[in-house]
Amino acid sequence: MNPLKKLFKQTAIYGLATVLPRMLSFLLLPLYTDILATAGFGKVTIIFSWIAILNVFLAYGMETAFFRFYNTSDDKNKVVSTSLMSIGATTLFFLLISLLFQKTISGFTGIDFRYIKYTIFILVFDALVIIPFAWLRANERPMRYAIIKILNVVINVGLSVFFLVFLPNLAQDGPGALLKWMYRPDFEISYIFMANLIASGVTLLLMAPLYFKSTFVFDVVLWKKMMRYAWPVLVAGIAFTINEVFDKIMLERLLPQDIAESEVGKYSACYRLAMFMTLFGTAFRMGIEPFFFSHAGKENPQKAYAQITNYFVILGSVILLTVVVFANVLKVLFVRNEAYWDAMEIVPIIVLASFFLGIYHNLSVWYKVTDKTRYGAFISVIGAIITIGINYFFIPKIGIMASAIATVMAYGSMMVISYYLGRSRYPVPYNFRKIIFYLSISVCFSVLSFYVFQGNLIVGIVLLTLFLGLVYRMENDKLRQIFLKK
C-alpha cells in the first residue's frame, strides 16, 4: 500500500479513537456550563490542569522511549516487560506517597481536600495504561485502541449525565433507597471526578491482560538506555504541559481572588471551542509518530515527511478558518450560558496556537528519529519560559487575553525554532513557500471574518468558500494521486 495512503488510513482510525471520545467529552461542555457557575467550572478546570501536569511526571517519557526501542530491538518482549515494571513501580511509589501526604498536596496545589483522592487514583489508573496503549500503537492495532478509548469516554459521559441530570430527579421522585443514598446536594464537582475515575478504572481492567502476558524480566542495561532517551522527553513533556495548562493555574493565582475562578471558567469554556483544531492535530500526531520511526531507515524518508507536513498545513488551514467563521455558532451550541461568552475574543488566537502546535509536531521528526530528543526538551523549555513570562507580567494588566497571547507566542516560537534547528541537522525538503502561502491566507481571512467583520456569518462563509476553491484548484491532482492510487 502507498505509505502515505496507509498513514492517512491509520490516522483516520486513530482519529476516530481520539476525535470521537473527545467529541463525546465536548458534549459535556454545555452540561457543565449549564449546571456549574463560572467559578465552579474554573475549579474543575484547575484540578484537571494539575492532573495533566502530574500525568507527565508519572509517564516520564517512557511512552516515546518504548516506541523507539520496541521498533529497533530484537527482543521486543524484554522492552515490554522492562517498561511495564518501570511504570508499575514508580506508579505504586506515587500512590503510597500521595496517600500519606494528601493534606500537603492539597495545600500546595490549592485543590480542595475533598477532591484529592479522586485526583490521585485517576492519575494512578491512567499511568498504568500508558505502556499497554503504546503497545497497541506499536503493533498497529488501531481498532482495539479506538474501541477502548471510545468506551472510556462513553462511560465517563454516560455517568456524568446520569449523576448530574438524572440522579437528582430520580432520588427525589423514585422509591429506591440506593438512589437516595447516592445523591447528595451540591456534589456536582465530586460527581464529575467520580465518573472520570470509574471510566479510568474500567480502561485499566481492559488493558490489564498485557501485564499478565509479560515475562516480567527487568533488563537494567536496557532500562538505563531507555531512561537516557526518555529524560529529555520528560523535560519536554513538562514544558509542553506548562504551555498547555499552566495558564489556567496562573490565572487563578494572579487575578484578584474574588474573580479568579470565574475568569478561569470563562477562559476554559471558550478555549475548548478550539478543540476541533486540537483534535485534528492529535489524531494526525497519533498516526505519524509510529510512521516516523518505522520509515526512518528507508530510502529518502525525508521526502515523505515533507509531503505529510504540506498536507497537514493545507488541512489545518481549512480547519482554522472554518472554526473561526463558525465560532459564534459554536458558542451557542456548546457554551449556551451567556455568562461565559465574555471570553470569546480568545477563540481565534487559541485555534491558531493549536495549529502552530500541530505544525511543530510534524517538524519534530528530525530530533525524534535521530535520537536527539534533548533538542525537543530545549525547544519546549523555551516555549514554557515564554508562557510563564507573558502570563506573569501581563495577566494582572489584560487578564485572560494575556494567556491567549502567551499560548500562540509559545507554540509559534517552538515551531520556528524547530524548523531552523532541523534544517542543518536533518534536512527535510519542506515546501516552505506553500506552507507560508496557505497559512497566511487562512490567518488573514480569519482576522477579517472575526475581528474586522465582527463574526458576520455571510462574510465568513464567502471567505471560506474562496479559500476552499483555492485549495481545490491547487491540490486536487495531488490529493487524487494519494487517495486513488492503488
Side-chain angles (χ1 to χ4, degrees), residues 68 71-72 290-302 305 369 426:
R68 180 68 181 87
N71 280 287
T72 58
F291 181 88
F292 283 164
F293 290 119
S294 63
H295 283 70
K298 296 188 177 182
E299 184 178 356
N300 194 19
Q302 292 93 330
Y305 299 157
V369 300
Y426 189 80

Side-chain angles (χ1 to χ4, degrees), residues 282-405:
T282 303
F284 210 89
R285 180 173 61 84
M286 298 291 281
I288 63 172
E289 277 190 345
F291 181 88
F292 283 164
F293 290 119
S294 63
H295 283 70
K298 296 188 177 182
E299 184 178 356
N300 194 19
Q302 292 93 330
K303 182 179 178 181
Y305 299 157
Q307 287 180 288
I308 290 167
T309 301
N310 288 341
Y311 293 122
F312 178 86
V313 171
I314 293 167
L315 293 172
S317 297
V318 172
I319 293 171
L320 168 64
L321 184 55
T322 302
V323 174
V324 172
V325 166
F326 292 99
N328 287 327
V329 176
L330 294 173
K331 78 178 182 183
V332 175
L333 293 174
F334 296 105
V335 189
R336 296 176 299 198
N337 187 340
E338 295 184 16
Y340 289 85
W341 293 0
D342 292 343
M344 278 299 296
E345 61 183 351
I346 71 164
V347 172
I349 301 172
I350 298 300
V351 178
L352 180 60
S354 297
F355 190 17
F356 285 165
L357 177 62
I359 297 173
Y360 165 73
H361 282 307
N362 279 266
L363 298 177
S364 68
V365 58
W366 69 270
Y367 66 74
K368 289 183 178 178
V369 300
T370 58
D371 291 353
K372 296 178 180 178
T373 51
R374 63 185 182 277
Y375 285 102
F378 168 73
I379 294 168
S380 296
V381 167
I382 291 177
I385 292 171
I386 292 171
T387 296
I388 294 171
I390 294 177
N391 275 295
Y392 181 79
F393 287 108
F394 291 101
I395 282 177
K397 298 177 181 179
I398 57 175
I400 60 174
M401 185 55 74
S403 294
I405 293 171

Side-chain angles (χ1 to χ4, degrees), residues 448-485:
L448 286 172
S449 173
F450 193 87
Y451 295 109
V452 177
F453 290 97
Q454 301 296 309
N456 184 287
L457 194 57
I458 295 175
V459 173
I461 291 173
V462 170
L463 292 172
L464 178 59
T465 303
L466 287 173
F467 188 70
L468 290 173
L470 178 66
V471 171
Y472 179 81
R473 182 179 179 84
M474 295 183 65
E475 305 297 334
N476 180 46
D477 292 340
K478 292 181 180 178
L479 291 174
R480 284 176 177 271
Q481 289 177 5
I482 291 177
F483 293 106
L484 297 182
K485 185 178 179 180

Side-chain angles (χ1 to χ4, degrees), residues 101-117:
F101 298 99
Q102 293 179 62
K103 290 185 178 180
T104 303
I105 295 172
S106 176
F108 175 75
T109 60
I111 298 175
D112 193 305
F113 187 75
R114 290 175 293 175
Y115 313 126
I116 286 295
K117 278 194 173 68

Side-chain angles (χ1 to χ4, degrees), residues 38-50:
T38 53
F41 189 64
K43 191 186 297 289
V44 170
T45 299
I46 292 165
I47 296 172
F48 276 121
S49 296
W50 280 112

